[in-house]
Amino acid sequence: MTRLQNAEKQLGDALAALESAVESSIEASASSAIAATSSKADFAALIDEVSGIEAKLGEAMQVIADIDAAQTSAANAGDIGNGDSE
């Protein structure tokens, strides 16, 4: 698996986790009217889940930035090393 594919997979995983967190939040909101104390625990779990998602997104963004920098560096090296003069 290439680094870009890995980054895409991480972003996909993060998106799935974010969707899950939103669904959990909606469920927690609905149940909070019934049981306020349980919603506090749900909210703490949601905060933990969102923190994990942020970490995964940060890792994926760093991988993408590294790939972009490597491609830019390789392109610049190709421009310098091709010896074409006009």
Side-chain angles (χ1 to χ4, degrees), residues 24-62:
S24 295
S25 176
I26 291 169
E27 291 172 6
S29 295
S31 67
S32 68
I34 298 169
T37 56
S38 68
S39 68
K40 288 181 182 180
D42 291 340
F43 187 68
L46 179 62
I47 290 172
D48 290 343
E49 191 169 350
V50 170
S51 295
I53 292 167
E54 287 177 341
K56 286 181 182 179
L57 285 172
E59 291 171 10
M61 290 171 57
Q62 184 60 51

